[in-house]
Amino acid sequence: MPHTRYAADRGLTARMVTTMFFIGLLYVVFIGVLLALFKGAWPLIVIIAGGLFVAQFWFSDRIAAFSMGAREVTPQQAPELHGAVDRLCALADMPKPRVAIADTDVPNAFATGRNQRNALVCATTGLLRRLEPEELEGVLAHELSHVAHRDVAVMTIASFLGVLAGIMTRAALWGGLSRGSRNNNAGIAVLLIPLVAAVVYVISFLLTRLLSRYRELSADRAGALLTGRPSALAAALTKVTGQMARIPTRDLRKVEPFNAFFFAPALSGESVSLLFSSHPTLERRLEQLARVSAQLGQAGRS
């Protein structure tokens, strides 16, 4: 982790390394199966897989911003938002990321980018309209923690394998079916590739969800320690979660694919198993912030 004043989290680092190891292993196995079944097409498979990986990793910030309809804003266009980011970056001793606003009533925020120098922090108009200045700083401190800890980049890479599995499966099946009369492996491929892709997708999905839940707790704690105001972050969490229930479901479903990168999930509920959730429960996050508040209170009295 690059030097910042954000509290280091060895648990997060260990989980990121473990996740990347297993994701990389899955990646190798999946590409290996494709190469074994389509030996003649190995240059195309390697080019597509490598090209998609580079594109998603290198342009992840632009892809996320475009998909969310976010636009970069100048300090003149959004002075309060820039001012909050400036204060937090100075406090954390880290480079200032690009700042963006997404025009949606869904109250949320996210950070993306492969490193601190190429990071982007985005807040929605719904969030800016609803939060008090201290609450907004708490949310931004949370998002900047993701950038400082580099878990944004890890999540981008980890989520890539699921996308690749779907794309490569369609490409391989199309190629196998089109050569069915000339290739004895076509029938095997039609049966085997969807099965392998499904297994790869499920395992990568569960791994990224497990990491996502922990990284949200880590960002809550690091952001609260940086600002020294865990109560402000707790208030923002409570307010955003409560307001989310008032947003039309059709609007929430439009942004649901970004759940793993959001400050709070766009869609959640008791019916969704914790195993598949991208975020820990609100109760768990508030309990942790209460412990941080008690910890800061004891440090202040000592």
Side-chain angles (χ1 to χ4, degrees):
M1 171 180 165
H3 171 73
T4 69
R5 294 198 181 98
Y6 273 104
D9 190 327
R10 293 182 179 178
L12 177 62
T13 301
R15 284 167 173 80
M16 289 194 296
V17 171
T18 302
T19 299
M20 289 307 301
F21 172 78
F22 284 109
I23 288 291
L25 185 62
L26 282 172
Y27 184 83
V28 171
V29 169
F30 183 62
I31 297 300
V33 169
L34 291 179
L35 292 176
L37 291 172
F38 299 96
K39 296 178 182 179
W42 70 264
L44 180 61
I45 292 173
V46 171
I47 291 172
I48 292 176
L52 288 173
F53 175 80
V54 171
Q56 179 156 350
F57 181 65
W58 202 260
F59 301 108
S60 60
D61 52 341
R62 293 177 176 83
I63 293 171
F66 175 79
S67 301
M68 274 295 296
R71 57 183 177 85
E72 287 188 48
V73 291
T74 64
Q76 292 72 33
Q77 293 171 321
E80 293 182 0
L81 181 58
H82 269 275
V85 174
D86 284 334
R87 288 190 295 273
L88 290 169
C89 288
L91 187 61
D93 190 22
M94 64 184 289
K96 182 182 178 181
R98 289 172 292 134
V99 178
I101 293 178
D103 187 14
T104 172
D105 195 44
V106 178
N108 233 312
F110 67 91
T112 185
R114 63 186 183 275
N115 55 43
Q116 289 187 21
R117 298 288 179 184
N118 296 278
L120 177 141
V121 173
C122 177
T124 67
T125 51
L127 185 79
L128 297 174
R129 186 166 55 252
R130 289 175 172 89
L131 297 190
E132 298 298 325
E134 285 191 355
E135 296 169 347
L136 178 61
E137 282 201 4
V139 173
L140 294 174
H142 169 106
E143 295 302 330
L144 288 171
S145 170
H146 288 314
V147 176
H149 288 140
R150 286 192 170 180
D151 55 86
V152 171
V154 172
M155 282 295 294
T156 299
I157 297 172
S159 63
F160 167 74
L161 186 59
V163 176
L164 178 67
I167 294 174
M168 294 301 292
T169 296
R170 286 191 290 270
L173 284 175
W174 181 83
L177 289 171
S178 66
R179 299 192 306 272
S181 61
R182 295 179 285 113
N183 189 345
N184 293 330
N185 285 337
I188 299 175
V190 170
L191 296 174
L192 186 58
I193 288 185
L195 177 62
V196 173
V199 172
V200 167
Y201 177 79
V202 169
I203 295 176
S204 62
F205 178 87
L206 293 177
L207 285 172
T208 53
R209 286 298 187 267
L210 184 63
L211 175 60
S212 179
R213 290 193 295 274
Y214 186 89
R215 84 185 192 111
E216 293 303 328
L217 288 173
S218 176
D220 283 347
R221 183 176 184 276
L225 288 173
L226 181 73
T227 62
R229 293 192 298 269
S231 59
L233 181 55
L237 265 171
T238 304
K239 186 179 292 186
V240 167
T241 303
Q243 290 290 320
M244 207 75 76
R246 302 181 182 182
I247 304 298
T249 302
R250 65 177 183 276
D251 294 336
L252 294 178
R253 293 203 178 279
K254 289 180 181 178
V255 299
E256 187 181 9
F258 294 91
N259 259 357
F261 294 92
F262 275 150
F263 168 66
L267 285 172
S268 61
E270 295 180 358
S271 61
V272 180
S273 170
L274 181 61
L275 184 64
F276 301 104
S277 176
S278 59
H279 290 64
T281 62
L282 174 63
E283 291 74 17
R284 187 177 181 187
R285 296 176 78 174
L286 294 178
E287 287 173 3
Q288 178 183 246
L289 289 172
R291 290 194 297 270
V292 173
S293 182
Q295 175 186 340
L296 291 173
Q298 291 174 355
R301 290 192 296 271
S302 62

